[in-house]
Amino acid sequence: MRTYSTCRYDINNIVTGSSTERSHTIDFVKGLLIVLVIVGHILPGALDESLARWIIYSFHMPLFMTVSGYLVKREKLKEISWGKFILKYLRRIVVPWTIAVLFFYSIGCNGTYSIKALLSAFITPYYHLWFVVAYCGFMVLTKLVSVGGVLRTNDFSCFMCCAKIPRPL
């Protein structure tokens, strides 16, 4: 009997990383997490007023960190210099994040601009932009751990996924 599968990847390839092809399972998980982020942001009520939001918030961002850590190539992290590492994340993440912070600051300040408010926008980013700061910190910690050889990168990301779990209702 012949079986057909829409996914060419088995769990062994995903866990061991032995496949050089793109993992549809990882793509599915990332897509599902993106949908959960959107749903979590549009649900009415505060975190402690919405069971659905609390459930989504209890795992979606830690799982994003876990997937991000899983996808990091430890060998490349070891090979890349700190200078190249910082430049890579400045260009890919920090510059767009800075533009977003400035945009939200400009529309949220109602024409009353101040240095204190601008600095506050960077120190305590607007609503959803906190994740970018957390992700950059996560990547720096991952590079430190990877270069130091303390833990395997995947182990470290699993450890870090527990860092932001909301308290029970």
Side-chain angles (χ1 to χ4, degrees), residues 38-58:
I38 294 166
V39 169
H41 282 99
I42 63 173
L43 285 173
L47 180 61
D48 57 354
E49 297 171 352
S50 171
L51 180 61
R53 179 177 274 173
W54 184 86
I55 290 169
I56 291 170
Y57 277 29
S58 70

Side-chain angles (χ1 to χ4, degrees), residues 107-131:
I107 63 172
C109 68
N110 298 323
T112 56
Y113 302 100
S114 74
I115 297 295
K116 183 179 178 182
L118 179 61
L119 289 175
S120 177
F122 283 97
I123 294 169
T124 55
Y126 177 76
Y127 196 47
H128 58 282
L129 295 177
W130 70 267
F131 177 73

Side-chain angles (χ1 to χ4, degrees), residues 144-166:
L144 283 170
V145 168
S146 180
V147 170
V150 178
L151 295 170
R152 290 189 331 246
T153 303
N154 293 358
D155 293 339
F156 182 67
S157 67
C158 291
F159 167 75
M160 290 297 292
C161 79
C162 299
K164 181 77 172 102
I165 298 177

Side-chain angles (χ1 to χ4, degrees), residues 8-26:
R8 294 179 297 197
Y9 312 96
D10 63 25
I11 193 68
N12 293 327
N13 287 347
I14 293 167
V15 172
T16 63
S18 62
S19 175
T20 58
E21 298 180 42
R22 186 175 189 98
S23 170
H24 294 299
T25 305
I26 295 291

